Amino acid sequence: MDNHKDLTDSSCRRHWSPAVLLICSAIACTILLTTATYGAPTSAPWLEQTELKGRFLQMTDLHPDEHYLEGAAVWTSCHTIVGEDGDDHNNDDVSGQKRFQRYNGRVRRYPFGYPNDRTLSSNILRPELLPSRASSSSVVPVNNTMGGRYGAPNTTCDSPLGLIDATFNWIDKNVVDSVDFVVWTGDNARHDSDNTHPRTQKEINALNKIIANKVLNTFPPGPLGRRIPIIPSIGNNDIYPHNILQPGPNAILQHFATIWTEFIPESMAKTFARGGYYSVEAIADKITVVSLNTLYFYIPNVAVDGCREEEQPGTEQMDWLEAELDRLRKRKMVAYLTGHVPPDKKSYSPTCYSRYTKIALAYQDVIVGHLFGHANIDHFFLLSHGGNKEGEEESPPEDGLVGDAPIDNNATLSAQGLSTYLEDLWMQYDTVPRRAQLKDYAIVMVSPSVVPTYNPTLRVFSYQLDNSDGDTQDGEDEDEDAEKLYHHHRRPSPVPSTTFGFPQEFTQYWCNLTHANKHPRTPPTYEIEYRTREDYGLENLGVSEWLGLARRIAREEDLKRVYLDRMVVQSGANTTVA
């Protein structure tokens, strides 16, 4: 390509007049500016089907923490190095605020790429700028655990900036050129877990902007100046105060609209401004990814009131979602529904949970995946017709839920949070009938996080590229039948696994932080933890395969143990919750 460009330029210089060259330059600039504008399509029309890789990335829950200190006590959220005298041994010259300013400044200074292979930690967080770890004689270990260089797995500490850098650097080297789009399911600011370092709106906005810029820099524009589609969602910790989001339009949604300009299609700008949700045609005429604003369904968001009243933002979003799915059904496209908080009965208000379940089952001929984050544990669960009925009274969230339940240490997380969650999950798996009707179930896939609640992870999906005409739905009559089935409260058949865009498998990658912290001079890397096809025997990621796996986990103790190990990303946290 470069050689061709040089030849063209040389020919122009020899044979074209200065006036013609000036006109050509102006046209070229106009084309480049047009393709880089806010209104540029977010699908990838320049990719021929033969150029598609058939893969996409999901990343979730990064939770960068500018206050994180190597060697700090985990009970301080890894914010304070505590000596034998109990005093704060932090180095004031490299306080979290100053380190954050250095980090933020470098991102703004290099808007189109970072020096030294886009790695911030090697430039900004140099060893001399990091707080020196107190000597072993002065550090008092808390539960024999202190924050390591790249994180503190199995604790409530958030992600050090060095881990965020290492993650994006690994994506840059290993993923960027092998995926067609990116699903990014929220939480790009730290938790509000330390009263001595309270979060602020300014800090949260800055962190969200920094991570957005890192994503843009990691996935640079391709042909015609367009990036592959990147579809972010708002997390419950991406706002201030956490969990609480007023109905839109509001300043928070406006902030995201500004920093996510290149992610949100122009046609969806008004929709996003009002509700924080939108859709992207990730593969033209084939695959649409819907980004839901799950905060309007989330029980702890007391600024809204479920999905019963018409004027509620949750109700409006559900109405919009049905209209989008109707449109996709008529176009014979498939959809992935994505968002931050999964549609769990204990997380969504009863009316929103019931409405989501109803939609998930009514549009199985369109929806091929429900992809979420938030919970930090690697698992799947079922939606079925046995969920809450619309009109049930709202109930407060139960204590000890996985994700953002109040927890003080890892022992509490394991004994109370994960154990409580698993009781319901095992019951779901155990009650799947041998001859289950596929129309009665939908599967929610929950990806574990980058933040080392356990160990950091990334997930890469593979999807069907060719379309087998013999097994796909076609014909206007079937579209009409699907709509009639919906209005008569009967469910259409799920999308055949041979349909273009259908998820075939995913590969789960993990970063062993115990090893990384023992070798701090070597940048941490991600390795394959498991593959759904090879390690679980799933032919594809359809309902039938997941129901079969649920039944096997329920009856096979060895498989359940392996599943638990992967659920907590090989961190050993499952030893108290088996």
Side-chain angles (χ1 to χ4, degrees), residues 116-119 166-178 218 523 525:
N116 192 18
D117 202 20
R118 298 195 186 118
T119 303
T167 298
F168 278 100
N169 198 40
W170 188 87
I171 292 173
D172 180 38
K173 293 178 179 178
N174 298 277
V175 177
V176 168
D177 295 327
S178 63
T218 302
T525 186

Side-chain angles (χ1 to χ4, degrees), residues 432 538 543-553 555 559:
V432 174
L538 303 185
V543 174
S544 176
E545 296 295 313
W546 286 113
L547 292 181
L549 179 59
R551 286 191 291 262
R552 286 192 286 129
I553 291 173
R555 69 173 184 260
L559 178 58

Side-chain angles (χ1 to χ4, degrees), residues 168-241:
F168 278 100
N169 198 40
W170 188 87
I171 292 173
D172 180 38
K173 293 178 179 178
N174 298 277
V175 177
V176 168
D177 295 327
S178 63
V179 295
D180 300 321
F181 57 94
V182 177
V183 172
W184 169 23
T185 45
D187 265 8
N188 306 301
R190 65 184 175 95
H191 289 94
D192 196 7
S193 58
D194 182 2
N195 292 334
T196 65
H197 295 79
R199 302 194 319 162
T200 66
Q201 185 69 65
K202 181 178 179 181
E203 173 199 324
I204 295 168
N205 287 349
L207 283 170
N208 276 293
K209 184 176 181 180
I210 286 171
I211 299 301
N213 285 340
K214 288 184 73 65
V215 173
L216 289 171
N217 290 328
T218 302
F219 292 89
L224 303 180
R226 296 188 181 100
R227 288 178 176 81
I228 64 171
I230 298 167
I231 305 97
S233 303
I234 302 173
N236 65 306
N237 287 288
D238 291 332
I239 58 178
Y240 181 84

Side-chain angles (χ1 to χ4, degrees), residues 18 38 105 323 336 356:
Y38 174 79
Y336 287 91
Y356 188 97

